[in-house]
Amino acid sequence: MAIDPPPASAENSAPVRPLRRDAQRNREALLTAARSCFAEQGLEAPLEQVAKRAGLAIGTLYRHFPTRLDLVQATFAEKLAAWREAAEKAVTLDDAWAGLCHFLETMCELQSQDRGFNDLVSMRLPESACLAGAQTRIRELGVHIVERAQEQGSLRPDLTPEDLAFVIWSHSRVTEATHAIAPDAWRRHLYLLLDGFRTDRAHPLPAPPLTEEQLYRAMISLGTNGACGAWPSGRVVDSRSFAVKEL
């Protein structure tokens, strides 16, 4: 299955006015502070604390990042890009099982020691089209990674791309429980899961997999009560396009 390249973004093609030197320093200080605050406390970390850690006023933060989602998007852009690059590399490896392992291990490593990134990859934040686009692109690549491993016979045939969400959700709790005690314990957990993914370990499963729409709704529900904003009522999700439709 061919993977289409990501569409060119109008936002990326538009000229960007460079910031003044002092404004750029302030922006970088805010992003550094946000990375540490989100890593320690998750996406609901107080923005006042981010500004204080950066040595700036809360008004300065809002001038650079008018909403929490703007700050989240800028803070995690590099990690999302690294995850996407791991997925793109995985689909080029001759050994599709090695590609699957590389994709999942990179994801888990990016999550480890970072509660904010754990939150981000565990949920969907519908107000941010850019974040949703990045997550959808990674998911498209993940589907291809799963299909290649199944075609080569190394991955159990009843595993679906939606099942990979269980790796994300369980890993989030494992790292939260062990990061200060045994920081690498997540690797053991991941490889126990991967052993269960192998074709020769497969046994009949007691419940059907989640559908695309069920997975999307589960991820939305995790973000519903968070500080990044609630999922607006009166809307449904198109399970194929992941477009939001009014009821």
Side-chain angles (χ1 to χ4, degrees):
M1 181 181 96
I3 293 290
D4 295 329
S9 167
E11 182 179 336
N12 292 338
S13 60
V16 178
R17 184 177 179 180
L19 294 172
R20 299 192 318 270
R21 197 170 290 178
D22 59 336
Q24 184 62 40
R25 280 198 302 269
N26 289 345
R27 178 183 171 85
E28 290 171 0
L30 288 165
L31 288 174
T32 298
R35 289 186 191 103
S36 62
C37 288
F38 288 149
E40 294 165 8
Q41 302 173 54
L43 295 185
E44 295 186 27
L47 296 188
E48 292 80 3
Q49 189 176 97
V50 173
K52 183 177 181 181
R53 191 170 295 191
L56 298 166
I58 188 66
T60 303
L61 185 150
Y62 282 120
R63 278 196 296 276
H64 285 272
F65 306 103
T67 70
R68 181 182 291 265
L69 276 170
D70 292 326
L71 180 59
V72 167
Q73 181 176 300
T75 300
F76 293 105
E78 289 183 9
K79 280 202 167 185
L80 282 171
W83 190 15
R84 187 194 67 243
E85 288 166 7
E88 290 168 344
K89 177 180 177 180
V91 298
T92 68
L93 295 178
D94 292 335
D95 184 337
W97 177 260
L100 175 69
C101 293
H102 173 71
F103 174 60
L104 292 178
E105 189 160 12
T106 300
M107 176 195 73
C108 290
E109 191 157 20
L110 290 168
Q111 278 183 264
S112 66
Q113 313 298 317
D114 193 336
R115 287 184 60 187
F117 195 68
N118 268 328
D119 288 348
L120 184 63
V121 300
S122 298
M123 63 182 70
R124 296 285 284 209
L125 303 178
E127 293 85 350
S128 173
C130 183
L131 286 174
Q135 288 175 309
T136 298
R137 173 61 179 166
I138 291 166
R139 186 190 180 283
E140 289 171 351
L141 291 164
V143 170
H144 193 37
I145 291 165
V146 167
E147 289 176 345
R148 289 182 72 241
Q150 288 172 332
E151 288 167 2
Q152 290 188 10
S154 54
L155 179 64
R156 57 188 300 161
D158 57 351
L159 186 137
T160 70
E162 288 73 31
D163 288 320
L164 299 185
F166 296 128
V167 179
I168 294 174
W169 292 333
S170 61
H171 179 69
S172 178
R173 297 296 287 173
V174 168
T175 55
E176 184 179 346
T178 64
H179 75 277
I181 302 165
D184 287 330
W186 64 266
R187 296 184 188 276
R188 177 181 177 86
H189 171 255
L190 173 62
Y191 277 85
L192 285 170
L193 291 178
L194 285 171
D195 267 0
F197 288 177
R198 291 182 179 275
T199 299
D200 57 1
R201 312 289 166 82
H203 293 87
L205 297 171
L210 296 178
T211 65
E212 287 184 2
E213 185 165 352
Q214 285 173 327
L215 174 61
Y216 193 90
R217 288 185 180 278
M219 295 180 77
I220 288 293
S221 72
L222 289 173
T224 295
N225 297 317
C228 284
W231 176 249
S233 61
R235 295 185 177 184
V236 296
V237 178
D238 182 319
S239 63
R240 292 189 177 184
S241 66
F242 290 147
V244 180
K245 298 180 177 179
E246 298 291 344
L247 286 174

